[in-house]
Amino acid sequence: MAEALSVIPASVLRNLSDKLYEKRKNAALEVEGIVKQLAAAGDHDKISALINLLTTEFTYSPQANHRKGGLIGLAAATVGLTTEAAQHLEQIVPPVLNSFSDQDSRVRYYACEALYNIAKVVRGDFIVFFNQIFDALCKLSADSDANVQSAAHLLDRLVKDIVTESDQFSIEEFIPLLRERMNVLNPYVRQFLVGWITVLDSVPDIDMLGFLPDFLDGLFNMLSDSSHEIRQQADSALSEFLQEIKNSPSVDYGRMAEILVQRAASPDEFTRLTAITWINEFVKLGGDQLVPYYADILGAILPCISDKEEKIRVVARETNEEIRAINAEPAEGFDVGAILSIARSQLSSEWEATRIEALHWISILLNRHRAEVLCFLNDIFDTLLKALSDPSDEVVLLVLEVHACIAKDTQHFRQLVFFLVHNFRIDNSLLEKRGALIIRRLCVLLDAERVYRELSTILEGEADLDFASIMVQALNLILLASSELAELREILKQSLVNPAGKDLFVSLYTSWCHSPMAIVSLCLLAQTYQHASVVIQSLVEEDINVKFLVQLDKLIRLLETPIFAYLRLQVHS
C-alpha cells in the first residue's frame, strides 16, 4: 500500500473518488500516465501495488463514488500498460466483474465502460475470462436500468468481435455455461443467447453443430416465446442449423431425435410444426443411425397425423410414409416390441386418423416380423379386442384384418374366436351394433366355414343359455342373409346328397339348438324338411312367450325373403 501511495499523489486519489465525473476522469488520466512511466521503467511490482490499491480501497469501498473511481482507474491503468497489460489481467478483471452485480446502477454502468476499455486494449488476451464475462453480460442484458443495458450491449458487441477473431476461445468450456442458461425465460437474456449462438456458428473454426444437442432444446423453447422477435430469431437460428445438418457428413441424430420427439408434443403450434419438420428431415438423412429411435419417432408422428393444423398433418403423414418404407431388421436395432407398444397406446387416441395409422403399423409389423409380433401378442391382444368396439367402421375393419392376420395359425385362430365370443357375452351392445360387421368380415378374411364351425363348437358348451340363444340367432341371420356366406349356404343346401354339406350341417346343429327358430331355419336351408317338421311339432310343447313369438315372426319374415325362394317354389310345386 505504501508503495502505491508513493507513486500516486494524494490529490489524484482524492479526485478519483470525487462525486463529479470530470474530476474522476482527469484523475484516471493521471493514473494512466503514472502506469505508463512505471511500465517503461519495467517496475511491475509498483504497478501491481497500484492496481491492488485501486481494488481494495476503491472498487471494494462501501462508498459508491469510490467504486466508480476504482473502475475508471483500473481501465486507465490497463490503457497505460498497453501491450504489457496481459500479465496484470488476473488482478484487473475480477474486481471489474464483481462490480457488474453492484446494487448501484451507475456503478454497474461504469463497470461495463471499464471492461469495454480494458477489452479494447488487451483483445484476445482476456479470453481466459470469457465464461465469467459471458455470465455477467447475460445478467446485465436483463438489467433493470436502460443505460446499463445499453452499455452492456456495446460491450457485448466488442466481446463478440474479439471472440470471432481469437484462436484461444474454447467452445468446449463455454457449452456447459450456455446449456445452463438456455432455459432462462427473460426475453432480453433469450435475445442475448440467440445472438451468441448465431455469432459463434458463423465462425468457421468453431464447431457449433457438434454441440447442437446441448442447446437445441433451449432454442425450441424460444419458439413459443411471447415476443415475435425472439420467435423469429430462434426460428432463423434453427433453420440455419438444419441447413448445416443437411450439408454435414457426420451428425449425432440420436440425441437430437430425443429432444425433437418431446417438442413434437408441444402445446405450441409453431413448435410442433418445427419439430415435426426436423424429424422429417432426420428420417430422410439419418438412415441407420435413427433405427433405434423409430419407436420414439413414431410416438411423436402418430398424434401429429391428426393435428388440427393442416401443415403439421401433411408433414407427419409424409414422415410416417418415409419410416414405413424403410424395412429395418431387429438385428439393426429395430425394436419391434417398442414400436408395437407405441401403436397399441395410440389405439386409444381420440382421433380416428391416428388410430387407423396405428393399426396399419401393427399390420405391417405382422407381415414383416410375424414371429417377433406374436411374442408380444399377450401385450396387444386385449387392446385389439377392445378396438372392435371402436365408433369408426374403418377402424373396426382394419382391426379385423389384423386379427385375421394373427389368426392364420390354428392356435391363434381359436383364441381369437373364443375371445370374440367372450367379448360378445360381456358386451351385448357390441353384438347388437357390430356383430354382423365383425362376423361377415372375418368370414371373408378367414374362410366362412372355418369361422362358423369354430363358433358352433364354442357355443355348444355355452353355460349362459340366454346369451347362447341370442348369439345363435345373430349367426343364423348372418348365415341366411349375407352375401359373404352365399357359398356356405350352397354347401348346406346339399346336406342330403353331399358329405361336405352333411358334415357342416351336423357341426352347426347342436349349437343351433339353442334357438328354436334358428334350428328350424337351418333345417329348411339344408332341405331336411322331414326333420324340420319334427322340430316344429316339438315346439308346440314350448312355452309360448314374447321371446318365442318374436323369433317366430322373424322366421316367417325370413321365409318370405329371396333366400328361401327355392323353398316356396318347392311348396307350390
Side-chain angles (χ1 to χ4, degrees), residues 68 72 202 274 327 384 447 467 499 558:
K68 293 172 193 173
I72 198 171
S202 69
T274 309
N327 197 353
L384 286 171
D447 177 58
F467 165 71
L558 274 170

Side-chain angles (χ1 to χ4, degrees), residues 220 242 260-261 263-265 269-283 297-305 307 309-320:
F220 265 90
L242 187 56
L260 297 173
V261 163
R263 292 295 165 183
E269 193 177 284
F270 187 43
T271 305
R272 286 200 309 281
L273 177 59
T274 309
I276 207 80
T277 303
W278 273 61
I279 290 172
N280 180 268
E281 292 293 345
F282 274 27
V283 169
I297 290 171
L298 195 64
I301 289 167
L302 289 177
C304 287
I305 280 170
D307 201 278
E309 173 56 49
E310 190 189 358
K311 285 181 189 169
I312 296 172
R313 291 199 303 272
V314 168
V315 181
R317 283 199 172 278
E318 186 188 308
T319 312
N320 189 45

Side-chain angles (χ1 to χ4, degrees), residues 417-433:
V417 181
F418 176 82
F419 275 113
L420 196 55
V421 172
H422 173 71
N423 271 27
F424 284 146
R425 187 189 301 110
I426 60 174
D427 183 4
N428 287 331
S429 65
L430 178 64
L431 178 61
E432 191 182 317
K433 294 173 185 171

Side-chain angles (χ1 to χ4, degrees), residues 69-99:
L71 289 165
I72 198 171
L74 288 171
T78 311
V79 174
L81 280 161
T82 59
T83 55
E84 296 182 66
Q87 61 188 294
H88 293 282
L89 284 181
E90 288 287 348
Q91 260 186 300
I92 294 168
V93 174
V96 179
L97 288 174
N98 182 66
S99 302

Side-chain angles (χ1 to χ4, degrees), residues 436-466:
L437 176 71
I438 291 168
I439 301 296
R440 286 165 60 189
R441 190 65 189 146
L442 279 181
C443 284
V444 171
L445 295 166
L446 288 171
D447 177 58
E449 184 174 342
R450 188 181 178 207
V451 171
Y452 261 68
R453 280 177 180 272
E454 191 65 35
L455 283 165
S456 181
T457 302
I458 292 166
L459 290 168
E460 193 177 323
E462 176 60 53
D464 184 342
L465 297 180
D466 283 342

Side-chain angles (χ1 to χ4, degrees), residues 161-190:
D161 287 344
I162 293 169
V163 167
T164 53
E165 68 188 27
S166 169
D167 57 1
Q168 297 172 51
F169 176 74
S170 169
I171 184 70
E172 291 82 4
E173 289 175 22
F174 169 61
I175 287 296
L177 179 61
L178 177 65
R179 186 174 58 227
E180 190 185 313
R181 289 279 170 269
M182 284 303 285
N183 292 321
V184 174
L185 298 176
N186 186 284
Y188 296 109
V189 176
R190 283 184 158 183

Side-chain angles (χ1 to χ4, degrees), residues 14-200:
R14 197 165 48 251
N15 286 338
L16 204 55
S17 60
D18 199 276
K19 64 179 181 179
L20 293 173
Y21 172 72
E22 280 302 318
K23 285 192 176 181
R24 293 199 303 273
K25 186 180 174 185
N26 289 331
L29 288 171
E30 291 195 50
V31 169
E32 181 188 330
I34 292 165
V35 171
K36 211 174 260 181
Q37 287 175 345
L38 291 171
D43 200 341
H44 284 280
D45 287 342
K46 281 186 179 172
I47 293 170
S48 286
L50 184 148
I51 293 167
N52 188 45
L53 172 72
L54 290 172
T55 302
T56 54
E57 298 300 314
F58 286 85
T59 59
Y60 291 136
S61 165
Q63 303 295 321
N65 289 331
H66 277 67
R67 298 199 296 278
K68 293 172 193 173
L71 289 165
I72 198 171
L74 288 171
T78 311
V79 174
L81 280 161
T82 59
T83 55
E84 296 182 66
Q87 61 188 294
H88 293 282
L89 284 181
E90 288 287 348
Q91 260 186 300
I92 294 168
V93 174
V96 179
L97 288 174
N98 182 66
S99 302
F100 277 142
S101 54
D102 198 284
Q103 60 187 23
D104 188 318
S105 63
R106 292 308 291 164
V107 174
R108 297 197 299 276
Y109 175 86
Y110 286 120
C112 290
E113 188 182 71
L115 196 58
Y116 183 92
N117 290 323
I118 292 165
K120 268 203 326 192
V121 173
V122 299
R123 303 297 291 187
D125 286 327
F126 95 142
I127 290 290
V128 290
F129 297 99
F130 176 76
N131 274 16
Q132 293 116 291
I133 292 166
F134 179 87
D135 206 29
L137 283 170
C138 192
K139 289 166 187 164
L140 289 184
S141 64
D143 200 277
S144 56
D145 188 287
N147 290 324
V148 176
Q149 266 194 37
S150 181
H153 184 63
L154 284 172
L155 173 59
D156 182 50
R157 274 174 32 198
L158 175 62
V159 176
K160 281 174 182 160
D161 287 344
I162 293 169
V163 167
T164 53
E165 68 188 27
S166 169
D167 57 1
Q168 297 172 51
F169 176 74
S170 169
I171 184 70
E172 291 82 4
E173 289 175 22
F174 169 61
I175 287 296
L177 179 61
L178 177 65
R179 186 174 58 227
E180 190 185 313
R181 289 279 170 269
M182 284 303 285
N183 292 321
V184 174
L185 298 176
N186 186 284
Y188 296 109
V189 176
R190 283 184 158 183
Q191 279 185 301
F192 170 80
L193 294 169
V194 177
W196 267 101
I197 289 168
T198 306
V199 164
L200 292 175

